[in-house]
Amino acid sequence: MKRNVLVIADLRGNQLRNVTFETLGAAHAIADGGTVAAAVIGHEISALAQTLGEYGAQQVYVVDHPELAQYIPDAYVAAVSQVMQAFAANVVLFAHSAMGRDVAPLLAAKHKAGQISDIIHVELAGDDVLFTRPIYAGKAFMKVKAAGDLVFATVRPNNLPMPEHVDATATVTSITYEVPEKVRTRVREVVKKASTGVDLSEAKIIVSGGRGVKSAEGFKPLTELAEVLGAAVGASRGACDAGYCDYSMQIGQTGKVVTPDLYIACGISGAIQHLAGMSNSKVIVAINKDPEAPIFKVADYGIVGDLFEIVPALTQEVRKV
Ligand code: FAD
């Protein structure tokens, strides 16, 4: 059954995040021969329309307005709704990012439609679309089908395959943003924290530290290893709670969910709430001095020993390559 699928582009500093392309791939599977459109919302973002076409969007809607330079819930609800007046979507897909998690349910409520969060797989079953999402902190998976003619869903980053880059051009339509009557919040200032520059939720390699690093200073060898690997640095909640690092680095049930190709857990015990955020990583390496640490149950490679000896040794070896 043909469907119209709309993908809302996910941006980081006016750049398209990879999850947008992964979502376009899912959109084609859902559309079943119907139309796949994308919308890019922000300020001074019209140049991105071309790239969306090259990753599978047949139509691209651009909503460009100074008020949309930063994510504001009321403004984005209005902008997406205005795109939906131009493109009658059956399925509207977002990244399962800070923006997508917030705005998709707001839109679902506004349009009296269903909302399915954090999907990792889509498949067709007769006239239905089945969305797979993890439940019980990743211990089980649930297949959900949407009732009704319209559904909103968020797609977990770094899970679905990237579609191929093709030499295609989308039809681009500019939507005039009508400022809604009620915008209840405003961004006054954006304070950026220092970061390695690698986006944790899209990183291919993550070096992560737990309470075993013992101090903020203890993260230094992990940061050095991350630098030579081109990796992002993550943390357990234990490390964040102890004040060794910022909560923006927290991975797990109440932190970020990541699926890198390689996850190196250093001084992390492997509590269920931490595993919820990283157990779908493709290869897991655990470094822990306790051979009984639960992290070894999910690790592909385990090193029993002191992270302060092993991590610098690994860095040295990688530098030689
Ligand atoms: P610990 O459990 O203290 O483990 C430290 C490990 O370091 C030990 O295994 C030890 O053997 C090892 N170690 C010590 N020194 C060294 C050394 N020199 N070299 C090598 N290894 C060493 N946790 C999360 O991570 N993310 C979440 O999102 C999250 N959400 C939660 C939500 C709820 C509702 C609750 C109740 C808890 C949540 N937690 C979460 C907390 C979780 O239960 C654990 O307390 C936490 O993950 C433990 O962090 P840790 O592994 O760093 O610390």
Side-chain angles (χ1 to χ4, degrees):
M1 191 173 94
K2 289 185 183 178
R3 294 175 193 84
N4 284 345
V5 185
L6 175 64
V7 172
I8 310 298
D10 206 81
L11 307 183
R12 190 188 194 214
N14 275 8
Q15 298 291 320
L16 291 164
R17 295 176 72 224
N18 284 345
V19 62
T20 302
F21 308 129
E22 295 158 9
T23 307
L24 279 167
H28 273 282
I30 296 168
D32 199 16
T35 305
V36 171
V40 56
I41 298 169
H43 187 42
E44 295 175 344
I45 35 76
S46 43
L48 303 176
Q50 166 84 10
T51 316
L52 289 165
E54 290 162 7
Y55 282 92
Q58 293 151 311
Q59 292 178 24
V60 178
Y61 295 90
V62 178
V63 196
D64 190 325
H65 192 277
E67 183 166 273
L68 302 168
Q70 303 290 340
Y71 171 64
I72 302 171
D74 289 330
Y76 272 58
V77 164
V80 176
S81 300
Q82 287 160 24
V83 172
M84 288 170 67
Q85 280 169 16
F87 181 75
N90 306 109
V91 180
V92 185
L93 298 175
F94 295 81
H96 193 68
S97 61
M99 189 265 281
R101 287 178 202 210
D102 195 52
V103 75
L106 288 173
L107 279 155
K110 179 181 160 77
H111 291 270
K112 298 192 173 14
Q115 153 69 31
I116 302 169
S117 293
D118 201 13
I119 60 173
I120 57 166
H121 181 69
V122 291
E123 68 200 89
L124 301 178
D127 280 350
D128 294 321
V129 187
L130 296 181
F131 297 87
T132 306
R133 59 182 300 261
I135 51 167
Y136 301 124
K139 288 225 137 196
F141 298 93
M142 175 191 242
K143 286 188 181 182
V144 189
K145 84 175 179 193
D149 299 332
L150 175 63
V151 64
F152 293 82
T154 60
V155 175
R156 181 180 283 199
N158 222 355
N159 239 279
L160 297 167
M162 277 278 276
E164 277 186 26
H165 178 270
V166 289
D167 199 11
T169 321
T171 314
V172 180
T173 309
S174 195
I175 301 281
T176 309
Y177 174 64
E178 287 163 30
V179 180
E181 264 176 38
K182 234 193 207 170
V183 176
R184 291 166 290 184
T185 47
R186 295 256 168 244
V187 178
R188 302 295 291 267
E189 191 188 357
V190 178
V191 181
K192 285 197 176 150
K193 295 218 167 123
S195 81
T196 57
V198 184
D199 183 348
L200 201 52
S201 55
E202 296 214 321
K204 295 281 172 219
I205 307 178
I206 295 175
V207 180
S208 205
R211 210 153 19 205
V213 303
K214 297 197 173 66
S215 64
E217 186 66 10
F219 263 93
K220 210 166 156 225
L222 276 62
T223 311
E224 283 168 6
L225 177 60
E227 267 166 24
V228 298
L229 289 171
V233 180
S236 70
R237 179 156 149 189
C240 300
D241 282 347
Y244 305 162
C245 59
D246 193 81
Y247 279 104
S248 61
M249 291 161 68
Q250 184 184 320
I251 290 165
Q253 188 182 326
T254 44
K256 293 197 168 81
V257 175
V258 295
T259 38
D261 293 341
L262 175 61
Y263 188 88
I264 307 177
C266 313
I268 295 177
S269 59
I272 177 78
Q273 296 89 353
H274 186 76
L275 302 186
M278 46 63 74
S279 60
N280 283 337
S281 303
K282 285 159 199 102
V283 175
I284 299 171
V285 176
I287 304 168
N288 198 304
K289 63 181 188 186
D290 174 8
E292 302 297 323
I295 190 81
F296 288 125
K297 292 203 179 104
V298 296
D300 299 282
Y301 300 94
I303 306 172
V304 179
D306 186 343
L307 72 93
F308 294 106
E309 289 167 18
I310 291 154
V311 174
L314 271 176
T315 308
Q316 231 175 14
E317 286 305 311
V318 178
R319 277 206 181 107
K320 287 184 197 160
V321 181

